[in-house]
Amino acid sequence: MSVALRNAQRAVVVRRAPLRRAVCVLRAALGASRFDVGLICAGNGLMRRLNGTYRQRPEPTDVLSFPFHQVAAGELPRPRCRDEYNLGDIFLGVEYIHQQCRASGEDFDSVLAVTAAHGLCHLLGYQHNTKPEWQQMYQKEVEILEELNQLTGASLRPLTTGLF
C-alpha cells in the first residue's frame, strides 16, 4: 500500500524520496507492507502543540506516533475492511531532529530514517515505558534497521541505545 508523506514545515529541507523509500523498506521488514502509513514532517511549533496536547509536554520532540489500531507489541492489525488497512500517522519533528544533528554532528537523513523506524514500531504496539518493553522495542528496531542497512549499505542503529 502507500506511504503518504507530507512536509508541513519550511525550516528544514527534507529529501522526500529517500525518506519514503526507507519507510517502505522498514514497513516491509515489519511485515506490514499491505498497510498505509502517514508520515508528516513537522516543525517545532506543530510538534510542541501536539506533544502538549497528547503527552502534556509542551515542548518540541523528535517523533510522535498515532496508531490507527491498538495492537500488542509485534502484532499486525486485523482489518475488517479496506479502509482499515492503515497503521496510523507518524509526525517527525524534522526541525528538532535537524537541530539535534547539527549539535551532535550526526547525519540528518540517517537520523530521520532511524526516527521513522522508531515511530513505525510505536504504530505496531511497541513501547518503552519499562526496561522489558524498551528491550523488546530496541531489538525490533535493530532487526528492521538491519534490513534497511543491507539494502542501502548504511550502518544505522536505534537512537535509544542507553535508555535504561
Side-chain angles (χ1 to χ4, degrees):
M1 294 301 167
S2 72
V3 173
L5 194 153
R6 179 172 175 251
N7 189 2
Q9 56 81 48
R10 292 190 178 135
V12 179
V13 174
V14 176
R15 296 177 51 220
R16 293 169 159 209
L19 179 57
R20 184 188 312 275
R21 280 192 299 273
V23 170
C24 286
V25 169
L26 294 164
R27 189 179 51 163
L30 287 163
S33 291
R34 66 182 193 263
F35 291 90
D36 296 329
V37 65
L39 193 63
I40 299 91
C41 297
N44 284 344
L46 177 56
M47 293 304 284
R48 184 180 299 108
R49 286 190 301 278
L50 291 171
N51 206 17
T53 299
Y54 293 100
R55 298 181 65 227
Q56 290 69 55
R57 296 181 182 167
E59 58 201 23
T61 189
D62 57 352
V63 63
L64 293 168
S65 296
F66 297 94
F68 187 82
H69 301 273
Q70 297 300 318
V71 294
E75 285 187 11
L76 288 176
R78 293 193 170 105
R80 293 182 302 255
C81 64
R82 172 63 197 114
D83 289 344
E84 293 182 0
Y85 278 87
N86 184 352
L87 291 180
D89 295 319
I90 301 167
F91 284 77
L92 292 175
V94 295
E95 186 176 0
Y96 179 86
I97 294 167
H98 188 260
Q99 291 166 341
Q100 298 298 311
C101 288
R102 287 186 61 178
S104 67
E106 293 182 81
D107 178 67
F108 175 67
D109 291 322
S110 296
V111 173
L112 273 185
V114 171
T115 307
H118 187 82
L120 280 167
C121 286
H122 276 308
L123 293 181
L124 289 176
Y126 291 94
Q127 298 297 322
H128 47 76
N129 299 318
T130 66
K131 187 172 183 176
E133 285 178 347
W134 170 79
Q135 289 172 322
Q136 182 183 33
M137 185 169 183
Y138 183 83
Q139 282 308 119
K140 182 53 71 172
E141 287 181 46
V142 167
E143 179 184 315
I144 66 173
L145 287 170
E146 188 54 40
E147 288 200 35
L148 182 59
N149 290 339
Q150 288 176 9
L151 288 173
T152 63
S155 57
L156 305 177
R157 303 286 300 160
L159 298 176
T160 58
T161 300
L163 191 60
F164 279 93

